Amino acid sequence: MIWGVLQFPGSCDERDALHACEVVGGEARLIWHEDRDLSGVDGVVVPGGFSYGDYLRAGAIARFSPAMEAVAELAAAGGPVLGICNGFQVLCEAGLLPGALLRNQELRFVCKQADLVDDQGATLSIPLKHGEGRYYAPEAMLDELEANGQVAYRYADGHNANGSVRDIAGVRNERGNVVGLMPHPEHAVDPLTGSTDGRKVFEALERFA
Amino acid sequence: MSAHRELGLTDSEYALIVEKLGREPNAVELAMFSLLWSEHCAYKHSRKLLRRLPTEGPRVVMGPGENAGAVDVGSGYAVAFKVESHNHPSAVEPFQGAATGVGGILRDVFAIGARPIAVLDSLRFGELDSVRSRHLLDGAVRGIGHYGNSIGVPTVGGEVYFEEPYEHNCLVNAMCVGLGKTEDMVRAAAAGVGNAVVLMGATTGRDGIGGASVLASAELGEGDDAKRPTVQVGDPFEESKVLECCLELLAKGLLVSLQDLGAAGLTSSAGEMASAGGVGIDIDVAAVPLREADMEPFEIMVSESQERMLAVVEPSKVDEVRAICDKWQTGSAQIGVVTDSGHIRILKGGEVVGDMPVEALVDGCPLYDLAPAAPAAWIYGNRATLPADADSAATLLALLAAPSIASKKWIFQQYDSIVGSRTVRRPETADAAVLQLPESGNAIAVSIDGNGRKVACEPFNGTVEAVLECAQNLACVGAEPLGLTNCLNFGNPEKPVPAWQLDRAVSGLAAACEELGVPVVGGNVSLYNEGPDGPIYPTPVVAMVGELPDPARTAASSFAKEGDAIGLLGPFAPTLHGSELAKQRGELEAGLPEPKVAAIAEACATVREAVRAGRVASAHDVSDGGLACALAECAIGAGLGCRADLQELRERGCTPEEALFGEGAGGFVLSGDPAELESLGARVIGEVGGTTIELAAGDRSLVIGLIDATEAWRSLDARAESVAEPPADA
């Protein structure tokens, strides 16, 4: 499959995501934030970083970019969309995913390797690095997400470094084709730099392509 | 007070300016001279000394004098690196001071066409029990994280010491490492009469006016709050755009030369570009995009607003350059032109408001000889914190808990250390940061060191030790040094003792680099680091970049597995002089033995080759806190205990205490197969395993639980967090 990786001014991890898509076996290309046309990619990664400097609120400006209009259409058509860190924040701001990301409980940026548990019960070792990664949604919405199987990833016991409600690290939309998570699977595809568990996060979306 | 003295110029310097101009300078010219003739820009008290440093080497691509030094890493790629201080801004306002320190050093590296791939920091604060120190630590760490994390460059390593003499004058030195194609690297010299001078990036405001002269080239003291407007404010988002924009412009070959705007802003950038190219430059301040409408010409010329770059562009390419700036949503304006006048001329519209020969402005500052004098004795205080009757176990726990030795997880966990997908060894997992370079198929290792306390004991030998510490750290990950850069943080050079410290330290740096065959490819000098109680510890921070052929063949510092043998290798001759233990006992005094550089270089080569060949399971150099702390660190990191007999060192004539806690260059703790270790020339001294750390050293033998050791070593988190209100008088 062909992945497109969005590039906003202030993106940081777009080259890492591009590389990860290639490692997972896909083809990948960068998509400039002003491009309304996704030029035929099968899926999109909205990468980490500080799009538009995270001014106003993380992800709040990026959601209005032309490329995000195209991403919304791809999502509506059932295509795979993966939001990582700032990309997760952007997808929440765009209303493509439920909930919001707040400042970490400790009010500090945190970078560390963490264990996640996916909805199959498998444990994945994937790094996280963010200052605004505390997942929040109202209780009723959380109950609904859990009932619908929309909680894609949770922090394992003792690995919730940001105070996310119900240890939620990542969520998906109802259809399952849009996934966002705070940890960075694109930084977990090479044994030399950590682990390779991040590949599973990309692979889990391939069936929507 | 006369205008020139207020700006930091002496009467004789002012007289020289009048002589060179043939008239009195006007306000614009005086402001510009005062900055370029400041210590910070002109290196007037250090330039003569720096000529002692060896700068040549087969792998040197760019040496001193450029925005950053660079060394060849093969396959057509070069690694650029530089360290710079942002001490006084950080002492006044730690968050912005540290943040803009990172921003400035990043610009130095991408100005030569290298993409920044790593940041490291060297920090010094007063003791951690001081509220001021915790406030400064907290602010500096947040500032470094804010800038580095936001711009997508990983912070992969660093070091920090907490010592009383830094209480009022903290040190924040930031290092950036970049990677680029050797053939694409650009120098900062302006060339081509008639070419356009284009200012890119942020607009110009009133921030940082006089930072180089007022803040960086004078001692801190009463009323520093009033200096806060001289600290710049950073915007990493703006820098991120300028960075990507500049790298695209360079990749497309659209720039003749490029220079960042740092200390002294447009004045120094334009001046240095003109000087390096042997040309003149006309600048029209009316063309500079401003934040505030009514800025005076002198303010525009000396503003230190961040995130700005100055480029020389052929006239036919200006439109294309500006279009790419627009694409990256960053500013651009043609503000001047390269001339053959040999003068920097400042215009406002059509009117000339300043006109100075480049030679006088940039290279005309007199260089001073120092008047060094050795102090009669130890000149710093030294408060005892460890009870005199503490036994060996209590002593080891106290050393492991010393903020300068304890784990720095609280700090590095606040930094993104992995963005860029190059980080093979994350902080505290190895003695040096290791970054893979898929572009050239190999990897680099980076280390930054400089124990000021030892330099205070004896500046020459202490500086040699700092260089050796770097070299040993690189050896532990299998890297061979390619080049060194440094930041010399010292007190007031016009006083005899700091002058002596500087003079001796530079000689030590030169001697160590010469003997190791490591060229000095760049450097930075920060003088006038003094508080009300006198100068800081003399602190030459040295940073080394090394190469290793295979990123997969590098060692961790912690023990690998139960049952492995522990080996001690190298001409380690521990002494309590200048050690953490001497400090805690209040026994610091002048004097430090001379390290045996040649023998230590040989040990480094042995360790390097053994790591590359996979013959050792771990490698860690013996540093602060001596062999006992080195062994404990290897054990704590692995979650495995160890037993060792330090009799080997007793045989070398050490007391039991020196064997345990003595420090000095040249020692390596290795682990692995015992026969393999012995064939390397290491002495097998113990074995990995169990849940205790047992060290036999005659009547000072000790046993501590691994859990207790771990708790002590991890104690910085809680103490740093008991934070961070600014002191009442700040």
Side-chain angles (χ1 to χ4, degrees), chain B residues 418-447:
Chain B
I418 59 176
V419 65
S421 301
R422 297 180 184 278
T423 313
V424 175
R425 285 285 179 257
R426 296 186 193 174
E428 239 163 60
T429 61
D431 277 27
V434 179
L435 300 156
Q436 61 173 343
L437 308 176
E439 295 85 346
S440 50
N442 52 356
I444 54 166
V446 192
S447 179

Coordinates of all heavy atoms in Angstrom, one line a residue, chain B residues 418-447:
Chain B
I418 N 14.7 10.8 20.9 CA 14.6 9.8 19.9 C 14.2 10.3 18.5 O 14.4 9.6 17.5 CB 13.7 8.7 20.3 CG1 12.3 9.2 20.6 CG2 14.2 7.9 21.5 CD1 11.3 8.1 20.9
V419 N 13.7 11.5 18.5 CA 13.2 12.0 17.2 C 14.4 12.0 16.2 O 15.5 12.3 16.5 CB 12.6 13.4 17.3 CG1 13.6 14.5 17.7 CG2 11.9 13.8 16.0
G420 N 14.1 11.6 14.9 CA 15.1 11.5 13.9 C 15.5 10.1 13.7 O 16.2 9.8 12.7
S421 N 15.1 9.2 14.6 CA 15.4 7.7 14.4 C 16.9 7.4 14.3 O 17.2 6.5 13.6 CB 14.6 7.2 13.2 OG 13.3 7.4 13.3
R422 N 17.7 8.1 14.9 CA 19.2 7.9 14.9 C 19.7 7.4 16.2 O 20.8 6.9 16.3 CB 19.9 9.1 14.5 CG 19.6 9.7 13.1 CD 20.4 10.9 12.8 NE 20.0 11.5 11.6 CZ 20.4 11.1 10.4 NH1 21.3 10.1 10.3 NH2 20.0 11.7 9.3
T423 N 18.9 7.5 17.3 CA 19.5 7.3 18.6 C 19.6 5.9 19.0 O 18.6 5.2 19.3 CB 18.6 8.1 19.7 OG1 18.3 9.4 19.2 CG2 19.3 8.1 21.0
V424 N 20.8 5.3 18.8 CA 21.1 3.9 19.1 C 21.3 3.7 20.6 O 21.0 2.7 21.2 CB 22.3 3.5 18.3 CG1 22.7 2.0 18.7 CG2 22.0 3.6 16.8
R425 N 21.9 4.7 21.3 CA 22.1 4.6 22.7 C 21.4 5.8 23.3 O 21.9 7.0 23.1 CB 23.6 4.6 23.1 CG 24.2 3.3 22.8 CD 23.8 2.2 23.9 NE 24.4 0.9 23.6 CZ 23.8 -0.1 23.1 NH1 22.5 0.0 22.7 NH2 24.4 -1.3 22.9
R426 N 20.4 5.6 24.1 CA 19.7 6.7 24.8 C 20.4 7.1 26.0 O 21.3 6.4 26.5 CB 18.3 6.3 25.1 CG 17.4 5.9 23.9 CD 16.0 5.6 24.2 NE 15.3 5.0 23.1 CZ 14.1 4.5 23.1 NH1 13.4 4.6 24.2 NH2 13.6 4.0 22.0
P427 N 20.1 8.3 26.6 CA 20.8 8.8 27.7 C 20.9 7.8 28.8 O 20.0 7.0 29.1 CB 20.0 10.0 28.2 CG 19.3 10.5 26.9 CD 19.0 9.2 26.1
E428 N 22.1 7.7 29.4 CA 22.4 6.9 30.6 C 22.5 5.4 30.3 O 22.5 4.6 31.2 CB 21.5 7.2 31.7 CG 22.2 7.7 33.0 CD 21.3 8.3 34.0 OE1 20.4 7.7 34.5 OE2 21.6 9.5 34.3
T429 N 22.4 5.0 29.0 CA 22.5 3.6 28.7 C 24.0 3.3 28.3 O 24.3 2.1 28.2 CB 21.6 3.1 27.6 OG1 21.8 3.8 26.4 CG2 20.1 3.3 28.1
A430 N 24.7 4.3 27.9 CA 26.1 4.1 27.5 C 26.9 5.3 27.9 O 26.3 6.4 28.3 CB 26.2 3.9 26.0
D431 N 28.2 5.3 27.8 CA 29.0 6.4 28.3 C 29.0 7.6 27.3 O 29.3 8.7 27.7 CB 30.5 5.9 28.4 CG 30.7 5.3 29.8 OD1 29.7 4.7 30.3 OD2 31.8 5.3 30.4
A432 N 28.6 7.3 26.0 CA 28.5 8.4 25.1 C 27.2 8.1 24.3 O 26.7 7.0 24.2 CB 29.7 8.4 24.1
A433 N 26.6 9.2 23.7 CA 25.4 9.1 22.9 C 25.9 8.5 21.5 O 27.0 8.8 21.0 CB 24.8 10.4 22.6
V434 N 25.2 7.6 21.0 CA 25.5 7.0 19.7 C 24.3 7.2 18.7 O 23.2 6.9 19.1 CB 25.7 5.4 19.8 CG1 26.1 4.8 18.5 CG2 26.9 5.2 20.8
L435 N 24.7 7.8 17.6 CA 23.7 8.1 16.6 C 24.0 7.4 15.3 O 25.2 7.5 14.8 CB 23.7 9.6 16.3 CG 23.4 10.5 17.5 CD1 23.9 11.9 17.3 CD2 21.9 10.6 17.7
Q436 N 23.1 6.6 14.7 CA 23.4 6.0 13.5 C 23.2 6.9 12.3 O 22.5 7.9 12.3 CB 22.5 4.8 13.3 CG 21.0 5.1 13.2 CD 20.1 3.9 12.9 OE1 20.6 2.9 12.4 NE2 18.8 4.0 13.1
L437 N 24.1 6.7 11.3 CA 24.0 7.6 10.1 C 23.7 6.6 8.9 O 24.7 6.2 8.2 CB 25.4 8.3 9.9 CG 25.9 9.1 11.0 CD1 27.3 9.6 10.7 CD2 25.0 10.2 11.4
P438 N 22.5 6.3 8.6 CA 22.2 5.4 7.5 C 22.8 6.0 6.2 O 23.1 5.2 5.3 CB 20.7 5.4 7.5 CG 20.2 5.8 8.8 CD 21.3 6.7 9.3
E439 N 22.9 7.3 6.1 CA 23.4 8.0 4.9 C 24.8 7.5 4.5 O 25.2 7.3 3.4 CB 23.4 9.5 5.0 CG 22.1 10.1 5.2 CD 21.6 10.1 6.7 OE1 22.1 9.4 7.5 OE2 20.6 10.8 6.9
S440 N 25.6 7.3 5.6 CA 27.0 6.9 5.3 C 27.3 5.5 5.8 O 28.4 5.0 5.8 CB 28.0 7.9 5.9 OG 27.7 8.2 7.3
G441 N 26.3 4.8 6.4 CA 26.4 3.4 6.8 C 27.1 3.2 8.1 O 27.2 2.1 8.5
N442 N 27.5 4.3 8.8 CA 28.3 4.1 10.0 C 27.5 4.8 11.1 O 26.3 5.1 11.0 CB 29.7 4.5 9.9 CG 29.8 5.9 9.3 OD1 28.9 6.5 8.9 ND2 31.1 6.4 9.2
A443 N 28.2 5.2 12.2 CA 27.6 5.9 13.3 C 28.6 6.9 13.9 O 29.8 6.7 13.7 CB 27.1 4.9 14.3
I444 N 28.1 7.8 14.6 CA 28.9 8.7 15.4 C 28.6 8.6 16.9 O 27.5 8.2 17.3 CB 28.8 10.2 15.0 CG1 27.4 10.7 15.1 CG2 29.5 10.4 13.7 CD1 27.2 12.2 15.0
A445 N 29.6 8.9 17.7 CA 29.3 8.9 19.2 C 29.7 10.4 19.6 O 30.6 11.0 19.0 CB 30.2 7.9 19.9
V446 N 29.0 10.9 20.6 CA 29.3 12.2 21.1 C 29.3 12.2 22.6 O 28.5 11.6 23.2 CB 28.1 13.2 20.6 CG1 28.6 14.6 20.8 CG2 27.8 13.0 19.2
S447 N 30.3 12.9 23.1 CA 30.4 13.1 24.5 C 30.8 14.5 24.9 O 31.5 15.2 24.1 CB 31.5 12.1 25.1 OG 31.6 12.3 26.5

